[in-house]
Amino acid sequence: MSSVTGTSAADPTEVICLGESMVTFMPSRSGRLADVPSFARTIGGAESNVACALAAAGHRVKWVSRVGADGFGDHLIEAIGAYGVDTSAVGRDPDRPTGIYFRTATDRSTDAYEVAYYRAGSAASAMSPMTLPYAELTGARVLHLSGITAALSADCLALMLELTERREGRPLVSFDVNHRPGLWRDASGPEVLLELARGADLVFVGEDEAADAWGLHGGAAIRAALPEPGVVVVKHGARGATAYTGPASEAAEGTAPERAQDAAGSAPGAVFAPAPRVDVVAPVGAGDAFAAGFLSGTLRELPLRDRLRHGHLMAAAALTVPGDLGTPPSTAHADRLAELDDAAWGRLRLGPGWTSAVDEEVRTS
């Protein structure tokens, strides 16, 4: 049984993140979209968010996607590249536009939240096994995907099915379920997402979205429905997250899921890590940031508890800024916090600006 190993000097990429990124228009104030007078331009996309957070934390990351041959495409490539992400594999489509969307400032979990997508027929929806050959997507330790891509088009779904097919020599496949009912044109979404998750090695899923998509309640039920992945991380919102590990399924013996279990550094079972208290500025981007923190810990072969804590810390960096992307703490700062004993970890309270503070400055009684 082997663990996730490093890349060669010829190909230093640690993580490839594949998925659509869009230009996001953030409201100048709270209220309905009909009432907001102006918007500020930023970027948004689950997989590119993960790529940016990992690159900001010092990892070598490549973002793979397609954008239009337009100004919005230029902006995405420049903005994501500014985080240190390799954008050389991003294709330009002369016939399809870059996707954009507008959203309100309200928490997306409330009825007042509104989002207006203009992504139908976007350049990214043309991603397929033909435009993105498999061999070009496997030269890294980790390939990170999300369920959003599968909903964009039949071609995108075909690509996702190919990338989650179990085969020898593939990288560790990380999959964030990201159930977005509004993106699916029919009722097949939950079934497709379950199939893709079962093909991955590391799965991130919210307890609430597992209930909505699959009717599963509780981490144990979710793990039972996903026996193949070496690690299943169930997020419990502000309460924390649990990482479930166990032996690879008989059908997948000797393939990447077995490597994922070995990389987990834990005996079969469940490890829970509570989330620290956070003074939330904007409740967006936390899930992507959590995945980035956990993946960073995975690349560094940290214990499972510390991987979860790094996920929480990266999520807190996103929650304490207005947009999707926060500046992560330095690796040394994050390590000091992740290594706190349980009592000290439980006293943490993280607010705006905490990532530039030393750990003593963010503890509370």
Side-chain angles (χ1 to χ4, degrees):
M1 182 184 297
S2 62
S3 63
V4 180
T5 57
T7 53
S8 68
D11 186 358
T13 303
E14 293 178 282
V15 183
I16 292 174
C17 297
L18 181 146
E20 180 174 35
S21 188
M22 296 177 289
V23 173
T24 308
F25 290 93
M26 304 275 289
S28 57
R29 62 174 175 79
S30 299
R32 301 183 309 151
L33 285 178
D35 300 328
V36 175
S38 60
F39 296 81
R41 184 186 66 175
T42 181
I43 61 175
E47 302 84 1
S48 60
N49 285 348
V50 172
C52 290
L54 280 168
H59 294 284
R60 300 181 299 275
V61 189
K62 179 182 290 185
W63 172 52
V64 177
S65 188
R66 289 174 67 83
V67 298
D70 50 33
F72 287 146
D74 293 341
H75 176 63
L76 282 176
I77 290 175
E78 293 167 5
I80 293 170
Y83 281 86
V85 176
D86 180 353
T87 61
S88 61
V90 178
R92 306 301 298 267
D93 193 317
D95 301 316
R96 298 176 179 85
T98 303
I100 65 174
Y101 76 98
F102 298 77
R103 69 172 178 83
T104 58
T106 312
D107 185 342
R108 65 163 49 100
S109 65
T110 71
D111 292 338
Y113 178 76
E114 294 177 76
V115 60
Y117 288 109
Y118 298 90
R119 72 196 308 179
S122 69
S125 70
M127 292 188 294
S128 73
M130 295 296 293
T131 61
L132 294 173
Y134 178 82
E136 297 180 10
L137 300 173
T138 57
R141 295 170 64 182
V142 176
L143 172 63
H144 180 71
L145 311 168
S146 96
I148 293 172
T149 304
L152 299 181
S153 68
D155 284 341
C156 284
L157 174 56
L159 176 62
M160 292 290 288
L161 290 171
E162 179 179 77
L163 294 175
T164 54
E165 178 184 341
R166 299 200 180 279
R167 64 183 80 192
E168 294 291 340
R170 76 176 190 179
L172 189 145
V173 175
S174 166
F175 180 72
D176 194 334
V177 172
N178 266 325
H179 180 225
R180 300 286 187 269
L183 291 179
W184 294 89
R185 293 178 173 82
D186 54 38
S188 66
E191 181 180 352
V192 170
L193 292 174
L194 185 61
E195 179 181 359
L196 294 173
R198 294 183 69 177
D201 308 317
L202 167 60
V203 174
F204 299 97
V205 61
E207 193 171 21
D208 55 348
E209 67 180 341
D212 291 341
W214 304 322
L216 299 173
H217 300 278
I222 296 168
R223 176 55 170 164
L226 297 171
E228 296 88 352
V231 182
V232 175
V233 178
V234 178
K235 298 173 289 182
H236 312 292
R239 188 163 65 88
T242 303
Y244 292 86
T245 63
S249 68
E250 183 177 352
E253 187 175 355
T255 60
E258 195 172 2
R259 297 198 301 275
Q261 182 196 343
D262 182 60
S266 173
V271 175
F272 171 73
R277 289 172 293 171
V278 178
D279 296 329
V280 176
V281 173
V284 293
D288 303 330
F290 179 91
F294 191 93
L295 285 171
S296 177
T298 300
L299 291 165
R300 297 170 61 205
E301 301 184 348
L302 300 180
L304 264 183
R305 186 209 66 171
D306 291 358
R307 298 182 195 194
L308 291 166
R309 286 187 172 186
H310 276 275
H312 290 319
L313 292 170
M314 198 79 85
L319 289 169
T320 49
V321 297
D324 286 12
L325 293 165
T327 301
S330 69
T331 299
H333 185 186
D335 282 346
R336 286 196 298 271
L337 295 178
E339 292 167 3
L340 293 173
D341 61 40
D342 290 346
W345 176 262
R347 292 194 299 269
L348 280 179
R349 181 162 186 167
L350 307 175
W354 76 269
T355 59
S356 60
V358 297
D359 56 357
E360 288 79 4
E361 293 178 297
V362 296
R363 297 186 198 176
T364 63
S365 58

